Amino acid sequence: MGLFEIRNPKSAIRNQLYSLFMKFAGLVLKSTLRNKRRTILTVLGLGASLFLLVTLHTVLYELQATTITAESDLRLITRHAVSIANWLPLAYKEQIRQIPGVKDVMTSHWFGGIYIDERNFFAQFADDADKLFKFYSEWRIDPAQREAFERERTAAVAGVRLFKRFGWKIGDRITLKGTFFPFDAELKLVGSFTSPNLPDEAVLVFHYDYLNEMIVKTMRTRDVAGFYVIQAESLQAVPRIAQAVDGKFRNSTAPTKTETEKAFQLTFSSMLGNVKLFIGAISAVVVFTILLVTAATMAMTIRERTAEVAILKTLGYTSGLVFTLLLAEALSIAMLGGLLGCGGAKLLYSTVDLQQLTGGWIIQLRVQPEGLALGMVLAAVIGTAASAVPAFRACRMPIAEALRHVG
Amino acid sequence: MNKALIEVDHVEKVFRRDSNEVRALDGISLEVAEGDFLALMGPSGSGKSTLLNLVAGIDRPTGGRLRVLDVEPARMSESQLARWRNEHIGFVFQTFNLIPVLTAFENVELPLLLTRLARAERQRRVQTALRLVGLEDRAEHYPRQLSGGEEQRVAIARAFVADPTLLLADEPTGDLDAHSAEEVLEIFARLNRELGKTVLLVTHDARAARHAGRVLHLDKGVLVDQPEK
């Protein structure tokens, strides 16, 4: 005698999968939220560690990030072979220009002054004003402002981010207090520019002629350049130019080192090599420790429910299904932590003005898709690794033995 | 006599703990016919729960032959046993064993999630089962919001909601007061009487005898009463 009429309606595989998901989603969700405090703490712990991981990945990326424009591939930098702090004679400029494949050469000098307060750090260069926007053609500036910059000896242009950061307006006069130069640069802001490479928008440039004039006035030297920017005629000419320039000055009192702009930028991040390793190691240990603690908590949650596994099996649930349900619970928690950490990093770094927050030391932190993918994959691995073994053990345990775990 | 649903033929069960050997069942033989309400009584450690576990296929005998519903559970794989239990066996524990995060409705629905029944049909069955145990108004209550007797009635609803042939109960009144125990035993009696369910109830509660059609006594792994062969 039957209580109910049995019906087994046939349905498409997709409908069956959907219905399977819908049937057990509630069970998984309720089990996940069984101990809300523990679940929240686990999600927060995972989220915090993955946030750190994504941040670390992003910082390392930014340290190695270089100019991304096509124009930069044609630019080379010639500096003193010993150190960037050693200057080069101005006479090199004309000699470099004579080398086959060189389209033009621009003098450049790092100024490194203080604007009002030391915390207001930003990059300052003194360049050949008439060549700046020819060399950096990817920088966009109003033609009238560009003309004003090239015309006035004490004029300066700056990226839009600097204007925004300090609330500057065109026509403002600013003073950059000299640090390793024994004079201040008194400048008039005549233009602002944009660039596809965002760090460039936090740069200020003024006339090399003005800097050189002040050097001559105040120091026992003259006609020196910090480094030269070379514009090559073609990509093929780039390696030949580098070789020719360095060969030309090899036996001089000021030997040079010429490299692509990209390689030049990377030398700055390579100077941080040991710091990077140190930060990386500390962060990895912190992240790994938090992950272990989180994994232990998730494993404990499953072990506590060994008897429940036995009950489900008594009702007819196969070990495979129970294992899948336990894994789904752990993965839900882990992926939630992953979303919190990775999404939080993405959201935070795309909305917070890091330049303002860090006094200009960090212009931007662009969270990379690979960083997000790494975080989410790690979340899935933690969820699986933390739950697979205890879930497997609980499911394999004979029902009669597992039932004895009931209080 | 109706067709035998359970055939126990010289079944033995020996537990080994380190070097110790405990003989829980010692060559026991009995038959339970379709539609029977059998109470298996005996003191603690007599082997009655072990026998129930063997019948339900949640443990395997170490000797003898056990057939339940024309199959030998001991010869089935774990996954075959799981499906077989879902279709044919309803099991009630002493300690209710409801899932604490699920409502009474959801607990009763658990065995039906394994079937292909549509949601509406599942709901209809769960409501019917809860009505049969007198708890239709407690469907949305969580186990912690129910009394012990109510919890056990939910557990009974969960056991028969998938319409199994055989209902097995291991000390179902062990954790209940006299009134609740009486209610639970009456439900088993109704399921047997009105729906024809075969019930095998393990207990040392003498009241169970009043509801069961047949009572057998076990002691130290052997049947004190002679099996009807």
Side-chain angles (χ1 to χ4, degrees):
Chain A
M1 192 189 301
L3 232 189
F4 309 101
E5 183 192 343
I6 295 291
R7 249 185 331 133
N8 287 330
K10 289 181 181 174
S11 54
I13 291 174
R14 193 164 37 166
N15 288 345
Q16 282 185 4
L17 286 174
Y18 175 74
S19 130
L20 203 67
F21 172 77
M22 290 307 289
K23 270 199 281 192
F24 293 109
L27 180 59
V28 170
L29 182 70
K30 286 205 162 187
S31 298
T32 304
L33 298 173
R34 157 185 314 253
N35 186 331
K36 289 191 182 66
R37 186 185 299 168
R38 182 156 64 187
T39 302
I40 289 171
L41 287 175
T42 308
V43 168
L44 286 178
L46 256 171
S49 57
L50 292 173
F51 175 86
L52 279 175
L53 187 88
V54 173
T55 300
L56 174 69
H57 182 274
T58 308
V59 167
L60 290 178
Y61 168 81
E62 291 294 357
L63 283 174
Q64 293 169 65
T66 54
T67 308
I68 49 166
T69 57
E71 290 85 346
S72 66
D73 288 341
L74 291 174
R75 292 195 289 262
L76 295 100
I77 306 291
T78 296
R79 61 176 174 88
H80 198 290
V82 175
S83 162
I84 185 79
N86 291 36
W87 296 344
L88 296 171
L90 197 58
Y92 280 13
K93 185 178 175 182
E94 195 49 42
Q95 293 180 59
I96 293 171
R97 190 158 40 204
Q98 300 303 320
I99 291 172
V102 172
K103 189 175 176 186
D104 204 353
V105 183
M106 180 175 79
T107 316
S108 192
H109 219 306
W110 172 261
F111 185 68
I114 295 169
Y115 174 63
I116 302 174
D117 190 286
E118 276 183 12
R119 284 172 299 184
N120 297 332
F121 172 84
F122 57 92
Q124 305 143 18
F125 295 98
D127 291 346
D128 291 333
D130 57 330
K131 293 180 178 174
L132 179 67
F133 289 100
K134 288 176 191 158
F135 272 66
Y136 292 89
S137 55
E138 69 269 30
W139 293 6
R140 296 280 169 243
I141 187 169
D142 180 85
Q145 292 178 2
R146 176 178 168 176
E147 196 187 323
F149 172 63
E150 290 171 0
R151 192 176 56 240
E152 294 182 43
R153 194 175 53 88
T154 59
V157 288
V160 289
R161 282 175 172 256
L162 278 187
F163 268 82
K164 187 182 168 199
R165 181 178 165 198
F166 297 117
W168 289 340
K169 294 186 295 295
I170 301 295
D172 282 358
R173 290 187 178 276
I174 62 166
T175 301
L176 299 180
K177 186 174 165 47
T179 48
F180 45 82
F181 287 107
F183 56 85
D184 298 343
E186 304 283 349
L187 304 170
K188 181 184 175 188
L189 294 167
V190 298
S192 67
F193 60 84
T194 59
S195 168
N197 186 38
L198 293 184
D200 289 350
E201 292 185 347
V203 169
L204 178 140
V205 184
F206 61 95
H207 286 226
Y208 170 76
D209 289 344
Y210 173 58
L211 178 83
N212 196 36
E213 182 185 311
M214 297 301 284
I215 289 174
V216 171
K217 270 188 195 171
T218 57
M219 301 170 77
R220 287 184 182 177
T221 185
R222 59 182 302 134
D223 296 339
V224 286
F227 56 93
Y228 292 105
V229 184
I230 302 170
Q231 199 173 28
E233 282 174 347
S234 66
L235 275 176
Q236 292 74 19
V238 168
R240 276 189 282 112
I241 293 171
Q243 212 171 12
V245 172
D246 293 345
K248 191 173 191 67
F249 304 113
R250 182 163 296 132
N251 298 317
S252 70
T253 52
T256 59
K257 181 174 181 184
T258 304
E259 56 202 341
T260 60
E261 188 177 69
K262 189 175 178 179
F264 177 71
Q265 288 170 344
L266 284 173
T267 57
F268 289 99
S269 58
S270 67
M271 287 175 196
L272 297 170
N274 287 338
V275 177
K276 272 195 300 185
L277 185 70
F278 185 67
I279 293 172
I282 298 280
S283 303
V285 169
V286 170
V287 168
F288 189 66
T289 307
I290 296 173
L291 293 183
L292 278 183
V293 173
T294 309
T297 310
M298 290 170 85
M300 188 171 67
T301 307
I302 291 177
R303 278 198 300 273
E304 281 174 1
R305 290 166 54 204
T306 305
E308 230 174 81
V309 169
I311 294 163
L312 289 175
K313 284 169 74 176
T314 306
L315 295 177
Y317 284 63
T318 60
S319 296
L321 178 58
V322 178
F323 180 80
T324 307
L325 293 174
L326 290 173
L327 214 60
E329 276 177 43
L331 274 175
S332 306
I333 292 174
M335 297 313 270
L336 211 58
L339 279 176
L340 185 73
C342 299
K346 176 80 179 165
L347 191 70
L348 183 75
Y349 299 137
S350 57
T351 52
V352 168
D353 189 345
L354 286 168
Q355 191 183 355
Q356 197 79 35
L357 203 67
T358 61
W361 285 100
I362 298 175
I363 307 297
Q364 60 181 352
L365 283 178
R366 290 164 294 180
V367 176
Q368 298 302 299
E370 309 89 76
L372 294 176
L374 175 73
M376 293 309 291
V377 166
L378 198 63
V381 169
I382 293 164
T384 308
S387 58
V389 174
F392 183 71
R393 279 186 184 157
C395 292
R396 272 199 65 185
M397 193 180 287
I399 297 175
E401 189 182 328
L403 279 172
R404 284 195 278 273
H405 283 252
V406 179
Chain B
M1 188 180 174
N2 289 340
K3 178 190 170 194
L5 277 192
I6 305 171
E7 297 167 74
V8 182
D9 187 12
H10 296 95
V11 164
E12 293 177 359
K13 179 66 185 178
V14 178
F15 292 105
R16 289 183 179 82
R17 299 266 188 283
D18 302 321
S19 58
N20 300 321
E21 201 173 79
V22 179
R23 189 166 287 273
L25 292 175
D26 194 3
I28 193 171
S29 297
L30 66 92
E31 278 188 3
V32 179
E34 188 175 1
D36 262 8
F37 185 164
L38 172 66
L40 210 52
M41 300 186 71
S44 294
S46 59
K48 51 192 192 304
S49 292
T50 303
L51 179 60
L52 202 70
N53 288 347
L54 296 182
V55 171
I58 59 181
D59 208 349
R60 293 172 195 265
T62 45
R65 186 163 163 267
L66 173 70
R67 283 179 70 82
V68 183
L69 298 159
D70 293 328
V71 297
E72 285 189 53
R75 292 179 181 272
M76 294 162 81
S77 70
E78 282 301 318
S79 55
Q80 284 173 326
L81 269 175
R83 271 188 286 277
W84 177 76
R85 269 195 301 270
N86 182 247
E87 287 171 21
H88 301 293
I89 307 289
F91 204 100
V92 179
F93 303 91
Q94 177 180 347
T95 48
F96 326 137
N97 285 344
L98 300 179
I99 307 289
V101 292
L102 301 180
T103 62
F105 183 98
E106 290 163 338
N107 265 290
V108 176
E109 194 187 19
L110 277 173
L112 297 183
L113 294 179
L114 299 171
T115 68
R116 290 187 187 178
L117 294 170
R119 193 176 175 196
E121 177 64 12
R122 291 202 307 268
Q123 284 180 337
R124 190 183 70 80
R125 285 180 174 225
V126 172
Q127 281 158 359
T128 305
L130 283 171
R131 194 169 55 247
L132 277 170
V133 295
L135 289 175
E136 62 267 46
D137 57 336
R138 300 283 198 171
E140 296 310 314
H141 285 63
Y142 286 92
R144 64 176 183 278
Q145 298 167 323
L146 301 171
S147 68
E150 288 170 332
E151 278 195 76
Q152 192 59 298
R153 279 147 66 192
V154 172
I156 295 171
R158 182 178 68 183
F160 72 78
V161 73
D163 201 18
T165 318
L166 193 55
L167 281 177
L168 306 175
D170 189 2
E171 302 276 11
T173 59
D175 279 12
L176 301 178
D177 59 62
H179 177 69
S180 299
E182 194 56 39
E183 282 181 341
V184 162
L185 289 169
E186 181 54 37
I187 290 170
F188 278 114
R190 276 185 61 205
L191 289 170
N192 171 250
R193 198 170 55 237
E194 296 171 15
L195 299 172
K197 298 293 171 196
T198 306
V199 179
L200 175 53
L201 190 144
V202 158
T203 183
H204 53 244
D205 183 348
R207 283 169 302 201
R210 293 204 298 272
H211 295 273
R214 192 157 64 113
V215 179
L216 291 175
H217 292 86
L218 256 131
D219 193 17
K220 293 176 183 166
V222 294
L223 271 178
V224 177
D225 321 75
Q226 284 299 311
E228 297 166 9
K229 274 281 191 184

